[in-house]
Amino acid sequence: MIKYRLFIIICLILLPVANGWAAQGLAAFTVTPADNGGETYTVTIQILALMTVLSLLPAALIMTTSFARIIIVLSILRQALGTAQTPSNQILLGLSLFLTFFIMAPVFNTAYNAGVKPYLDEKMSSEVAFEKVSEPFYDFMLNQTRETDLAMFADISGHGQLDPAKKVPFSLLLPSFVTSELKTAFQIGFLLFIPFLVIDIVVASVLMSMGMMMLSPMIISLPFKLMLFVLIDGWSLIMGTLASSFYI
């Protein structure tokens, strides 16, 4: 009985508040007709839409930036070295993330100055700001995309032959860019794998000739691969090559 009484008391207390909300309405859902025939929404709805878009930020970071190529190459490098979980996944993700920020810094700055800053200063509508922000990313993705991949997805989607004078649709550019990034990442990974594979083959051949078939070649070859990687300053070469591969 005490629980029911408490519930009734809370309902009676909240009843005036509910009546006030019903009478005034929520400002978050106010829509105002614009002069050009469109509609403008309150800032609260815009913030809600922005928070919804931010939930897709991880996927956008992976699919529309240099992150995918970098993390794949670093993962293949760790596999080629044979160091199992060293560097750890957290370290590889951190390296990929910060190198992505370095590579994408010109794109981020252009997008901020062209779209985000004017929108925050209320000098530009949200629709125009979105177009201005997407243009630097569009140009970056287009520069890194192979023409063969664009032609393949254009043929699959029924666009036919692409007109160089027209912009490539974003729905067509995104899968083409991802496919090109995967191809480039695996090509770089293949070239990285070769010298370490040669060391494994040489060590395995020496152990076989010595009759030490029960000894794992990975245990013997690991110090030599680490020594080779350190002597050639491998991390600087890898990071420099990945960074410069986006500006060729």
Side-chain angles (χ1 to χ4, degrees), residues 6-47:
L6 181 61
F7 176 75
I8 294 173
I9 293 172
I10 294 175
C11 291
L12 292 175
I13 293 175
L14 294 179
L15 184 60
V17 180
N19 291 333
W21 283 350
Q24 296 177 5
L26 291 176
F29 297 97
T30 302
V31 180
T32 305
D35 297 335
N36 56 1
E39 294 178 340
T40 58
Y41 303 93
T42 57
V43 178
T44 311
I45 287 184
Q46 296 176 9
I47 293 176

Side-chain angles (χ1 to χ4, degrees), residues 22 27 47 60-62 85 89 166 177 182-183 193 205 244 246:
I47 293 176
L61 177 65
I62 295 174
Q85 297 299 318
N89 292 332
K166 297 181 180 179
F177 170 75
L182 291 176
K183 287 182 180 179
F193 222 108
S205 300
S244 61
F246 289 93

Side-chain angles (χ1 to χ4, degrees), residues 116-186:
V116 178
K117 191 175 184 301
Y119 175 72
L120 295 178
D121 295 337
E122 298 182 357
K123 298 179 181 179
M124 187 180 295
S125 64
S126 58
E127 293 82 4
V128 178
F130 179 78
E131 293 180 0
K132 294 294 183 180
V133 169
S134 61
E135 286 178 0
F137 290 92
Y138 178 91
D139 295 336
F140 171 80
M141 294 167 62
L142 187 61
N143 292 333
Q144 304 299 325
T145 304
R146 291 179 171 87
E147 295 182 358
T148 54
D149 295 328
L150 278 173
M152 179 189 67
F153 282 100
D155 182 64
I156 293 174
S157 60
H159 280 83
Q161 188 175 3
L162 295 175
D163 189 356
K166 297 181 180 179
K167 289 187 65 175
V168 179
F170 191 82
S171 59
L172 184 63
L173 177 61
L174 183 57
S176 304
F177 170 75
V178 174
T179 305
S180 296
E181 286 296 284
L182 291 176
K183 287 182 180 179
T184 305
F186 276 90

Side-chain angles (χ1 to χ4, degrees), residues 192-215:
L192 286 176
F193 222 108
I194 292 178
F196 301 110
L197 181 61
V198 171
I199 294 177
D200 287 333
I201 293 175
V202 171
V203 171
S205 300
V206 172
L207 291 178
M208 287 287 292
S209 63
M210 296 176 62
M212 305 175 73
M213 293 177 292
M214 300 300 295
L215 181 61

